[in-house]
């Protein structure tokens, strides 16, 4: 069973930055697809970014050029560096994990998800 714990959220002004972290236990992230999703009140869950070793990184159009996903296999940790934040980036951000490759932006394909970390941009 995989456990994911996010941290790094907070409240920032527009244009600011935050670095979100997701520590995984129960599996090695080098063998999985790791992704960040977000959900704002009243809106559907949105895939933000994903990474898989040996395959590459993927981003939603809304965050390309502003967010960067990376992973540290030694620490079994995935990061999401968020820059040039906008009020519309305000949401609960979740880390998710799946063993399979394939479509990265569908949250229903990820069996494991963390509790989330809140990002608020004003």
């Amino acid at each position: 069973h995989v456990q994911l714990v996010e941290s790094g959220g907070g409240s920032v002004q527009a244009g600011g930055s935050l670095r979100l972290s997701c520590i995984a236990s129960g599996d090695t992230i080098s063998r999985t697809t790791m992704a960040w999703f977000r959900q704002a009140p009243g809106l559907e869950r949105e895939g933000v970014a994903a990474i898989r070793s040996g395959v590459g990184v993927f981003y939603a159009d809304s965050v390309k050029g502003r967010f960067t996903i990376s992973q540290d296999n030694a620490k079994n940790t995935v990061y999401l560096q968020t820059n040039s934040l906008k009020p519309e980036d305000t949401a609960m951000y979740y880390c998710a994990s799946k063993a399979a490759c394939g479509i990265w932006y569908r949250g229903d394909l990820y069996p494991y998800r963390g509790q989330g970390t809140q990002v608020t941009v004003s």
Side-chain angles (χ1 to χ4, degrees), residues 77-122:
T77 300
V78 176
Y79 303 98
L80 185 69
Q81 178 67 44
T82 66
N83 298 329
S84 302
L85 284 163
K86 305 175 182 179
E88 51 263 44
D89 294 317
T90 296
M92 183 70 78
Y93 284 69
Y94 300 92
C95 177
S97 170
K98 64 172 180 169
C101 296
I103 299 174
W104 70 268
Y105 49 83
R106 278 182 50 184
D108 62 313
L109 298 179
Y110 290 78
Y112 304 109
R113 193 180 83 169
Q115 293 298 308
T117 186
Q118 177 69 37
V119 172
T120 302
V121 185
S122 59

Side-chain angles (χ1 to χ4, degrees), residues 42-83:
L43 298 180
E44 292 187 356
R45 181 174 52 196
E46 175 188 21
V48 176
I51 185 169
R52 188 177 181 100
S53 292
V55 176
V57 296
F58 308 89
Y59 296 98
D61 288 343
S62 58
V63 305
K64 279 181 182 177
R66 300 188 298 122
F67 291 11
T68 303
I69 189 170
S70 61
Q71 65 184 58
D72 184 334
N73 292 338
K75 296 182 178 180
N76 227 34
T77 300
V78 176
Y79 303 98
L80 185 69
Q81 178 67 44
T82 66
N83 298 329

